[in-house]
């Protein structure tokens, strides 16, 4: 590991200032991803700025009825918080399906959004990787790509975003609150993560001169139901092959409101707008769910080892929606 | 002899040390002035090194040396581990890395960086750049692509690679009911919790001490003595506690010799602790395999033909052909057999033993095939197995020393409720979950190796056992203390066992489920010798109540020797020793007594058996498989300690489930890279994926082994993957013949 200096920031402006002073510095929150990356020499900061003392750990109700999740609140605390469990089951489920209890106890909410891909080749500094080293090539496209993306890929990168939490946040239309040197701004969840395009080294639209302060959840209609459905190779401590965060609101048997986001399939949480549009106003039936899933996955591209994800994604969408619909029709 | 301690579920004697962090593992030995070594891996699979860029590494603060083949001292070639040697070397290969410019596998260590601190060594290692001349011929990385170059090796372990009896292909063609399928298993890697660590220092030019996480102390000693041209007794190897081994630590991987070499170069103790990623690249694992099993039966289900042939891989620098076909040589009766193993050579790290080598993958193929045959016959799969019970070993043609497979199935079926099962596939569901049940035979040989044990009895009523065997979490330290306590009539707290050091009496490697019998036999013999010595001392004295006693009249009990027929007549050891003015008395014995062993080995087939039962839930839409119940019954002779044996069974079933559902090493066939070389992406079992595992032992003693025992460390891996694949078939109607059974295969 490269030698680094350790700085403790006591307020946001000091943290921002320290980062702007040194382009090789990195913020550290829980460190559950950064320390791994440093050990693997993927990240080589010469300074680590500890932001754990910043006052961003709150979980509170907002005036508009939504809930604010502090950037530094720990994943386990957030997932188990009554406000989250009661109002946003999809988020609690997603967060608790991720990593391990030890990691969740340390990992912060903002850090969860900012974690890097688990693409094998990104983690192996002896392999080419456009995300780690722009212009070096992509080892995954013609390599072992079982865990890679099927939607929104580019010739530069087929990595996926690994977060479960972010998938739920996409379905909940969360807003990321950001503080910069020149004030604050709000980034819609859908705009927060990027598709790889020609710049896979950029995971998000967050600027180097910005810090996440909170993630705000808008209120959900009381009649809406939500869940997170994650398919993985091992029942714990495994990233999603495919996951679906779904919010569904029925009126009778008609779909009044639906929001879907997919994990494990793209460089960002994949908001399934095509499927949503296909479903609005339609009866909540297995056939309609399947048709919507087919429409959503029409643009999917398979690589050598991940073709199964296309069918799996469709089935996972259908299963998630059927489960929610059955629950509401029974209620 | 009254049995008191043996069989008792005694807590581990080292349990408290382990849970309180006081048990010292290799990497934890405090040695002053220790320097840290980090290895740089090759990034090509085959070729030559053109140049090393080591300047930046050498200039990194704290760096003591950067060793490459250009400046590393020459070592002497070592013999590869050869199971036919009486005391084989632990070397996995004949290649001496850093003494050659040749690259034989992706991940081969090419440079050793030694620095004052681990962080400095890591940082310097990350700055090394190597340029290669890749081989003109493409690296060979796919076993199946190399099929045309497969050959029949000279030996498979110590046995013939081929067994033919009658004409199996003809009998197969003529059989009224038959199945004929190909089964494949992937490469698997070792992931014990404790990675491989070595700490070495020299005293003078010819005294080498090595702390090593090994399950084969004397094999490491032999290798190092060859490598550095030292007398064997000038090399000391210490392996106090081992944090899991499973076969990986039966070989001394390249870092062991490199640590000793580095210590010599820098003139200080050096420690190399392999990071998890290096575990994948520098420590061999389980070979991939492709196996054909064809079974022909008459209408009653009696096997007429058994064909088990196939292919495994070894590296270009070792010769180990994994013995997948051994199970088929002993498990079922048939007049016709065709058994053959072939091997291909790949540019990979040398492969090695991994818990239940051979039988682990062999039973997946054979026991899946038996299930397929049972369906073809429309017969219960247990009934099919019972109808093919052999009277003698079907290919060795000698009796079994003990064989209770039928009893395993009977007890297992009862505990599991097997006979309530509707054999029809897809017969049970709960919502989207399809539920299935499967069974399979377990099989593992009951082998022995050699060991010497010294026992020293003191006048204070304590006994000290000494043998350079190993404690890898298996329970050896505990069960042998129990064994000695019984042999000497002491309570177990009075027995101390020293192991894990080459200064102690010699013992063979702790692998192949052999330690319990081997060390147990030596303990028994040493204690007998000691008791006979004690009796000889006593009979000299007319005043002794033992004056006229014969050895066979006596038993060891209550810290002394007493008449069997009169529990109050006898003498304590303290009395016997005090009369002689002795503080203590010693005896040493070797197991096996050579001649007896040879005769027994030829007269019987020594094998362990078991029956595995499981229930699985398969998500019909996503293909996820969960194992929801497990019942295993094992026939491993006398159980020395119910608790430690049970732990062995639970751990083995767990590894079997991992092998069936999760574990798989991916190889990038372009360059031999292992993309999932991490515990994050190489999926070892997790508690959340395990059901309640019920295990039972028959506990029927084998009349032809020490204590009536067999080893118990591996058998419960065998048959596990087949039981799961059979249950998946029962649940879904889909037969998966390719491990692991991941969701994509069931979509």
């Amino acid at each position: 590991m490269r030698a680094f200096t350790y700085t403790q920031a006591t307020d946001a402006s000091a943290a921002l200032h320290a980062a702007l002073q040194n382009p090789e510095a990195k913020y550290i929150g829980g460190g559950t991803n950064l320390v791994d990356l440093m050990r693997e020499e993927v990240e080589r900061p010469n300074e680590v700025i500890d932001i754990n003392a910043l006052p961003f750990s709150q979980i509170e109700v907002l005036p508009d009825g939504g809930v604010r999740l502090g950037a530094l609140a720990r994943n386990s605390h957030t997932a188990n918080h009554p406000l989250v469990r009661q109002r946003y089951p999809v988020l609690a489920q997603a967060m608790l399906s991720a990593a391990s209890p030890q990691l969740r106890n340390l990992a912060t909410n903002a850090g969860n959004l900012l974690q890097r891909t688990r693409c094998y080749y990104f983690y192996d500094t002896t392999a080419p990787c456009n995300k780690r080293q722009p212009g070096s090539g992509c080892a995954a496209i013609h390599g072992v790509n079982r865990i890679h993306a099927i939607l929104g890929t580019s010739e530069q990168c087929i990595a996926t975003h690994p977060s479960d939490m972010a998938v739920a946040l996409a379905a909940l239309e969360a807003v990321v609150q950001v503080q910069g040197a020149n004030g604050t701004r709000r980034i819609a969840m859908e705009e927060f993560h990027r598709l790889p395009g020609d710049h896979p080294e950029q995971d998000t639209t967050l600027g180097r001169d910005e810090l996440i302060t909170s993630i705000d959840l808008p209120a959900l209609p009381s009649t809406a139901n939500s869940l997170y459905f994650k398919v993985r190779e091992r029942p714990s401590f495994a990233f999603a092959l495919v996951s679906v965060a779904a919010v569904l609101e029925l009126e009778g048997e008609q779909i009044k409101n639906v929001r879907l986001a997919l994990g494990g399939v793209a460089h960002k949480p994949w908001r399934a707008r095509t499927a949503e549009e296909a479903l609005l106003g339609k009866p909540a039936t297995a056939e309609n769910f399947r048709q919507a899933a087919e429409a959503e996955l029409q643009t999917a591209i398979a690589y050598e080892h991940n073709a199964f994800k296309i069918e799996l994604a469709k089935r996972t969408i259908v299963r998630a929606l059927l489960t929610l619909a059955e629950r509401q029709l029974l209620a | 002899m009254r049995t008191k301690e043996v069989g008792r579920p005694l807590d581990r004697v080292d349990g408290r040390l382990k849970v309180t962090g006081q048990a010292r593992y290799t990497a934890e030995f405090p040695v002053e002035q220790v320097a840290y070594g980090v290895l740089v891996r090759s990034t090509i699979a085959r070729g030559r090194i053109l140049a090393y860029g080591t300047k930046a590494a050498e200039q990194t603060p704290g760096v003591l040396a950067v060793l490459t083949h250009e400046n590393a001292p020459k070592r002497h070639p070592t013999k590869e581990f050869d199971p036919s040697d009486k005391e084989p070397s632990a070397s996995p290969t004949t290649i001496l890395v850093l003494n050659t410019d040749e690259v034989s596998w992706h991940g081969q260590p090419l440079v050793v960086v030694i620095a004052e601190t681990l962080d400095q060594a890591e940082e310097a290692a990350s700055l090394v750049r190597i340029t290669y001349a890749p081989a003109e011929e493409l690296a060979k990385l796919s076993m199946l692509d190399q099929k045309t170059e497969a050959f029949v090796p000279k030996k498979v372990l110590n046995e013939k690679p081929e067994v033919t009896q009658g004409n199996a292909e003809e009998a197969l063609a003529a059989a009224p009911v038959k199945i004929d399928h190909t089964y494949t298993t992937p490469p698997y890697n070792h992931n014990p919790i404790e990675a491989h660590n070595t700490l070495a220092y020299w005293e003078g030019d010819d005294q080498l001490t090595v702390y090593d996480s090994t399950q084969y102390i004397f094999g490491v000693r032999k290798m190092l003595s060859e490598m550095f041209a030292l007398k064997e007794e000038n090399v000391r190897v210490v392996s106090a506690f081992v944090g899991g081994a499973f076969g990986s630590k039966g070989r001394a991987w390249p870092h062991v010799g490199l640590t000793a070499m580095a210590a010599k170069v820098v003139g200080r103790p050096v420690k190399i602790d392999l990071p998890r990623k290096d575990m994948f690249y520098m420590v061999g694992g389980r070979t991939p395999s492709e196996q054909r099993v064809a079974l022909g039966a008459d209408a009653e289900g009696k096997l007429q033909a058994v064909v088990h042939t196939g292919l495994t891989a070894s590296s270009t620098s070792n010769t180990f052909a994994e013995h997948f076909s051994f199970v088929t040589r002993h498990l079922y009766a048939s007049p016709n057999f065709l058994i053959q193993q072939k091997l291909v050579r790949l540019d990979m790290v040398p492969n090695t033993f991994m818990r239940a080598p051979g039988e682990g993958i062999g039973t997946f193929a054979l026991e899946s095939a038996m299930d397929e045959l049972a369906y073809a016959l429309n017969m219960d799969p247990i009934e099919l197995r019972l109808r093919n019970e052999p009277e003698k070993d079907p290919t060795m043609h000698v009796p079994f020393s003990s064989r209770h497979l039928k009893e395993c199935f009977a007890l297992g079926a009862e505990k599991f409720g097997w006979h309530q099962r509707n054999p029809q596939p897809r017969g049970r569901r709960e919502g989207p979950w399809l539920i299935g049940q499967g069974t399979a035979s377990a099989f593992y040989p009951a082998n022995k190796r050699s060991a010497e044990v010294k026992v020293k009895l003191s006048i204070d009523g304590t006994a000290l056992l000494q043998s350079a065997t190993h404690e890898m979490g298996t329970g050896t330290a505990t069960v042998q203390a129990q064994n000695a306590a019984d042999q000497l009539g002491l309570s177990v707290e009075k027995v101390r066992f020293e192991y894990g050091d080459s200064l102690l009496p010699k013992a063979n490697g702790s692998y192949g489920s052999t330690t319990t019998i081997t060390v147990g036999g030596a303990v028994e013999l040493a204690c007998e010798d000691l008791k006979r010595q004690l009796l000889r001392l006593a009979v000299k004295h007319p005043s002794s109540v033992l004056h006229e006693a014969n050895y066979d009249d006596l038993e060891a009990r209550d810290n002394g020797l007493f008449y069997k027929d009169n529990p109050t007549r006898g003498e304590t050891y303290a009395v016997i020793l005090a009369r002689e003015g002795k503080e203590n008395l010693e005896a040493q014995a070797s197991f096996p007594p050579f001649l007896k062993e040879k005769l027994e080995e030829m007269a019987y087939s020594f094998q362990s058996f078991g029956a595995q039962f499981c229930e699985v839930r398969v998500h019909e839409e996503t293909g996820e498989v969960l194992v929801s119940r497990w019942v295993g019954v094992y026939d491993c002779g006398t159980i020395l300690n119910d608790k430690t044996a049970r732990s062995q069974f639970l751990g083995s079933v767990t590894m079997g489930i991992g092998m069936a559902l999760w574990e798989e090493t991916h190889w990038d066939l372009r360059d031999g890279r292992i993309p999932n070389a991490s515990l994050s992406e190489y999926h070892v079992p997790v508690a959340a994926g395990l059901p309640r595992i019920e295990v039972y032992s028959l506990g029927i003693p084998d009349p032809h082994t020490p204590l009536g025992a067999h080893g118990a460390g591996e058998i419960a891996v065998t048959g596990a993957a087949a039981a799961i694949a059979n249950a998946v078939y029962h649940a879904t109607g889909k037969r998966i013949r390719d491990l692991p059974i991941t969701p994509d295969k069931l979509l």
Side-chain angles (χ1 to χ4, degrees):
Chain A
M1 195 188 291
R2 184 185 185 192
F4 59 87
T5 57
Y6 172 84
T7 316
Q8 206 167 18
T10 46
D11 59 57
S13 58
L16 285 165
H17 182 73
L20 282 172
Q21 290 292 310
N22 179 4
E24 289 188 58
K26 281 272 169 193
Y27 293 128
I28 191 164
T32 56
N33 189 213
L34 179 66
V35 174
D36 270 5
L37 292 165
M38 288 166 69
R39 288 189 182 283
E40 297 288 346
E41 309 279 349
V42 176
E43 296 279 10
R44 293 174 52 79
N46 64 2
E47 180 184 3
V48 164
I49 305 164
D50 184 343
I51 54 169
N52 283 292
L54 304 194
F56 303 140
S57 295
Q58 79 282 28
I59 292 177
E60 63 195 14
V61 178
L62 292 168
D64 64 358
V67 170
R68 169 161 291 171
L69 310 176
L72 287 167
R74 307 289 150 171
N75 283 182
S76 50
H77 178 63
T78 307
N80 290 312
H81 197 283
L83 284 171
V84 174
R85 288 172 63 130
Q86 286 156 18
R87 300 189 186 188
Y88 308 100
V90 59
L91 180 60
Q93 289 161 14
M95 295 182 80
L96 292 175
S97 76
S100 68
Q102 294 90 334
L103 290 169
R104 296 195 295 267
N105 285 343
L106 269 177
T108 64
N109 289 337
N112 190 312
L113 299 191
L114 294 172
Q115 64 180 306
R116 311 299 308 272
T117 182
R118 272 11 177 241
C119 172
Y120 314 125
Y121 301 95
F122 174 73
Y123 257 79
D124 185 340
T125 53
T126 69
C129 171
N130 289 323
K131 182 182 279 299
R132 178 167 29 77
Q133 201 181 339
S136 62
C138 173
I141 284 184
H142 299 293
V144 177
N145 45 38
R146 183 178 170 74
I147 61 172
H148 289 77
I150 50 173
L151 290 165
T153 53
S154 75
E155 282 176 18
Q156 304 286 320
C157 182
I158 61 170
T160 60
H161 194 265
S163 169
D164 292 295
M165 179 191 189
V167 180
L169 293 176
L172 292 170
E173 296 186 336
V175 173
V176 182
Q177 298 281 2
V178 164
Q179 184 172 338
N182 304 316
T184 62
R185 68 174 178 127
R186 300 156 50 87
I187 309 174
M189 196 55 206
E190 213 173 346
E191 307 299 323
F192 185 80
H193 292 99
R194 298 178 65 259
L195 287 177
D198 289 334
H199 289 284
E201 74 280 8
Q202 295 170 20
D203 291 351
T204 70
T205 54
L206 191 70
R208 190 162 166 85
D209 55 351
E210 291 179 314
L211 259 179
I212 300 172
T213 56
S214 73
I215 300 157
D216 293 354
L217 304 172
L220 273 187
S222 61
T223 50
N225 213 334
S226 72
L227 67 69
Y228 189 68
F229 190 66
K230 176 175 178 178
V231 181
R232 48 184 155 177
E233 292 191 329
R234 177 173 70 174
S236 169
F237 197 50
F239 294 97
L241 288 173
V242 169
S243 68
V244 172
V247 179
L248 186 68
E249 190 183 4
L250 298 184
E251 206 164 52
E253 288 180 11
Q254 306 296 117
I255 296 165
K256 183 182 172 195
N257 186 5
V258 59
R259 282 189 248 145
L260 281 174
L262 307 183
V265 296
H267 195 259
K268 61 184 284 188
W270 187 263
R271 180 77 187 269
R273 295 263 185 199
T274 309
E276 290 175 12
E277 276 160 30
L279 286 168
L280 269 185
K282 296 244 180 72
T285 65
E287 298 78 65
N288 286 336
F289 294 152
R290 177 76 198 187
Q291 272 175 21
E294 296 278 359
E296 187 64 50
L297 273 298
Q298 211 152 30
T299 57
I301 297 171
Y303 298 87
E304 190 180 350
H305 306 112
N306 70 353
F308 71 95
K309 279 191 175 184
I310 297 175
E311 176 61 22
L312 187 59
K314 292 175 188 171
R315 292 184 182 196
T316 309
I317 291 170
V318 174
R319 172 46 56 191
L321 290 171
L322 267 180
T323 306
L324 284 177
E326 282 164 12
R327 224 181 261 170
Q328 288 181 50
L329 291 172
L330 286 175
Chain B
M1 188 188 80
R2 270 188 344 176
T3 293
K4 286 190 303 192
E5 294 296 345
V6 165
R8 200 155 75 85
L10 184 71
D11 288 347
R12 287 166 191 276
V13 295
D14 47 16
R16 182 174 290 272
L17 287 179
K18 286 180 175 171
V19 298
T20 56
Q22 294 173 75
R24 205 164 255 170
Y25 291 82
T26 295
E28 300 174 321
F29 276 90
V31 175
E32 290 200 6
Q33 281 285 301
V34 70
Y36 294 82
V38 168
L39 306 174
V40 179
R41 299 185 303 268
S42 155
T43 57
I44 64 166
R46 173 190 265 204
R48 273 178 199 286
I49 298 152
L50 287 180
Y52 299 93
T54 56
K55 208 157 249 158
E58 282 157 6
Q59 288 165 357
T60 302
V63 167
L64 299 169
V66 179
L67 301 179
T68 70
H69 89 271
E70 289 169 350
N71 64 356
K74 292 292 167 238
R75 292 175 290 158
H76 299 274
T78 61
K79 194 178 172 195
E80 182 192 341
F81 175 90
D82 181 344
S84 61
D85 288 353
K86 190 160 175 273
E87 288 170 11
S89 157
S91 181
T93 167
T94 48
I95 286 187
L96 281 171
V97 301
L98 266 82
N99 278 178
T100 172
D101 65 347
E102 209 171 314
V103 176
S104 300
W105 77 87
H106 188 126
Q108 176 182 322
L110 300 180
V111 179
V112 188
V113 178
I114 307 135
E116 295 283 350
T117 72
L118 179 59
D119 288 329
Q120 289 167 337
E122 283 177 347
E123 170 64 7
S126 75
L127 302 175
V128 172
R129 296 290 174 269
I130 301 169
T131 47
Y132 305 93
E136 280 175 21
E137 199 187 349
L138 280 178
K140 294 174 182 177
L141 297 164
S142 159
M143 182 183 73
L144 296 182
D145 290 352
Q146 301 302 321
K147 232 180 195 176
T148 51
E149 295 189 13
F151 61 97
V152 178
K154 270 189 233 142
K155 282 189 304 183
V156 173
L157 286 186
N158 274 333
E159 296 193 24
K160 289 181 291 187
E162 293 172 302
V163 177
T164 53
Q165 264 176 223
N167 190 326
E169 293 285 11
E170 241 172 52
L172 182 69
V177 185
K178 59 196 134 192
I179 58 103
D180 189 344
H181 295 292
T182 299
Y183 303 85
T184 49
T185 61
Y188 296 97
N189 266 97
H190 278 290
N191 274 298
I193 289 179
E194 182 204 28
H196 286 235
N197 309 306
T198 307
L199 166 61
Y201 60 87
W202 293 79
E203 290 159 287
D205 271 345
D206 64 345
Q207 291 283 341
L208 172 62
T209 300
V210 172
Y211 290 79
D212 190 34
S213 42
T214 179
Q215 61 194 105
Y216 188 16
I217 284 170
F218 280 90
V220 175
R221 190 176 81 154
K222 183 160 208 164
M223 182 193 81
L224 290 172
S225 72
E226 287 175 5
M227 206 175 258
F228 296 100
L230 299 169
K231 288 183 189 153
E232 281 196 53
E233 57 270 28
N234 286 8
V235 181
R236 181 181 174 195
V237 180
V238 180
S239 174
F241 287 98
V242 181
F246 312 110
S248 69
K249 293 169 183 166
R251 299 287 180 282
W253 299 94
H255 68 281
V256 177
L258 293 177
T259 309
M261 181 178 87
K264 187 150 211 179
V265 170
V266 300
R268 325 174 13 178
V270 170
K271 179 153 80 167
I272 295 184
D273 302 337
L274 291 192
R276 190 57 60 173
K277 202 173 231 173
D278 286 357
M279 288 287 293
F280 286 84
Y281 281 109
M282 297 180 194
V283 174
R286 202 192 290 276
T287 171
S289 78
E290 185 192 58
Q291 305 172 55
R292 174 192 174 209
V293 181
L295 303 172
D298 66 18
E300 276 72 53
K302 285 227 170 228
L303 289 168
Q304 301 303 307
V306 173
V307 177
H308 192 172
T309 59
L311 193 60
T312 64
S314 73
S315 76
T316 55
S317 55
N318 78 323
T319 58
F320 172 44
E322 183 162 338
H323 42 290
F324 65 81
S325 70
F326 280 12
V327 53
T328 307
R329 303 173 188 209
H330 310 289
L331 197 49
Y332 302 119
S334 167
N336 298 292
F337 281 98
L338 170 57
I339 291 168
Q340 186 195 59
Q341 292 208 205
K342 285 188 174 176
L343 192 61
V344 296
R345 289 276 166 75
L346 299 180
D347 296 303
M348 66 175 194
V349 62
N351 61 312
T352 194
F353 296 167
M354 186 164 174
R355 205 174 194 175
E359 284 77 13
I361 55 177
T363 51
F364 167 63
L366 178 65
E367 291 299 291
S368 292
M370 284 295 278
D371 199 67
E372 301 205 45
L373 182 65
Y375 274 99
L377 284 157
N378 197 21
M379 182 181 286
D380 179 78
I382 296 178
E383 181 58 27
L384 175 64
R385 289 172 173 92
L386 300 185
R387 287 190 188 188
N388 290 288
E389 268 287 292
E391 278 175 29
K392 288 182 169 184
D393 187 297
T395 60
M396 288 169 67
H397 308 293
V398 294
F400 290 98
S401 64
S402 75
R403 176 176 172 123
H404 304 286
L405 180 61
K406 282 183 179 182
E407 291 91 330
C408 290
F409 274 111
L411 181 62
E414 181 203 319
K415 297 287 182 189
F416 189 76
W418 178 261
H419 297 298
Q420 281 88 60
R421 168 184 181 264
N422 166 10
Q424 204 54 41
R426 299 184 70 86
R428 265 179 80 191
R429 70 157 65 229
E430 281 174 22
W433 294 95
L434 301 169
I435 299 168
Q437 298 177 330
T439 188
S441 295
F443 170 90
Y444 197 76
N447 288 330
K448 312 171 188 72
R449 287 203 172 75
S450 60
E452 290 171 22
V453 166
K454 187 189 235 179
V455 56
K456 180 171 166 184
L457 182 72
S458 294
I459 197 159
D460 64 3
T462 60
L464 174 65
L465 284 180
Q466 293 181 315
S467 179
T469 187
H470 318 78
E471 175 57 85
M472 308 101 76
T474 47
T476 299
T478 306
V479 303
Q480 297 305 342
Q482 289 175 277
N483 182 15
D486 278 356
Q487 302 291 342
L488 295 175
L490 305 175
S491 65
V492 71
E493 305 79 55
K494 299 289 183 192
V495 181
R496 197 156 60 85
F497 189 7
E498 289 180 354
Y499 51 86
D501 189 330
S502 64
L503 295 181
L504 299 170
K506 202 175 260 191
N508 215 314
S510 291
Y511 47 82
S513 296
T514 55
T515 306
T516 296
I517 312 187
T518 303
V519 177
V523 166
E524 202 176 13
L525 293 170
C527 290
E528 180 179 334
D529 184 321
L530 189 76
K531 286 182 287 187
R532 286 184 187 275
Q533 284 188 51
L534 286 157
L535 179 61
R536 281 200 295 277
L537 293 178
V539 294
K540 290 191 302 187
H541 296 279
S543 62
S544 167
V545 294
L546 300 177
H547 179 52
E548 290 180 346
N550 290 314
Y551 182 78
D552 293 337
D553 300 334
L554 302 176
E555 64 180 353
R557 171 161 51 76
D558 299 333
N559 310 312
L561 295 173
F562 290 83
Y563 285 90
K564 287 177 186 163
D565 59 3
N566 185 343
T568 61
R569 250 185 112 213
E571 279 184 340
T572 63
Y573 304 133
V575 167
I576 299 172
L577 291 175
R579 191 164 49 221
E580 298 295 320
K582 285 182 186 289
E583 282 295 308
N584 51 57
L585 197 63
E586 285 180 5
Q588 184 157 344
S590 301
F591 180 88
F594 194 64
L595 187 63
K596 185 170 166 236
E597 163 72 4
K598 271 266 183 266
L599 292 173
E600 288 246 299
E601 281 300 324
M602 289 191 299
Y604 297 101
S605 171
F606 290 86
Q607 319 293 346
S608 299
F609 301 89
Q612 309 272 30
F613 293 83
C614 73
E615 180 176 278
V616 301
R617 298 164 71 85
V618 183
H619 197 289
E620 190 178 15
E621 293 148 13
T622 65
E624 289 165 289
V625 180
L626 292 173
V627 178
S628 49
R629 276 186 71 198
W630 201 279
V631 171
V633 182
Y634 310 105
D635 169 27
C636 295
T638 308
I639 296 300
L640 271 58
N641 178 325
D642 265 345
K643 201 170 197 169
T644 54
R646 184 167 174 274
S647 292
Q648 287 281 25
F649 297 139
L650 295 178
S652 294
V653 169
T654 300
M655 281 182 93
I657 295 173
M659 175 183 167
L661 298 182
W662 302 311
E663 294 189 46
E664 173 174 15
T665 306
H666 294 297
W667 285 344
D668 190 323
L669 297 182
R670 296 171 299 182
D671 59 6
R673 189 185 304 276
I674 299 173
N676 63 333
S678 73
L679 281 177
S680 166
E681 298 300 333
Y682 181 96
H683 292 157
V684 298
V686 290
L690 298 175
R692 179 184 146 78
I693 301 170
E694 278 177 56
V695 294
Y696 303 90
S697 305
L698 295 181
I700 303 171
D702 182 334
H704 305 288
T705 60
L707 308 169
H710 287 188
E714 295 171 87
I715 185 159
V717 174
T718 71
I724 291 170
N726 296 344
V728 166
Y729 175 75
H730 184 230
T732 64
K734 194 160 180 184
R735 181 66 66 178
I736 307 297
R737 302 189 184 93
D738 176 44
L739 295 182
I741 306 173
T742 45
D744 49 308
K745 294 175 189 169
L746 285 159
L747 284 184

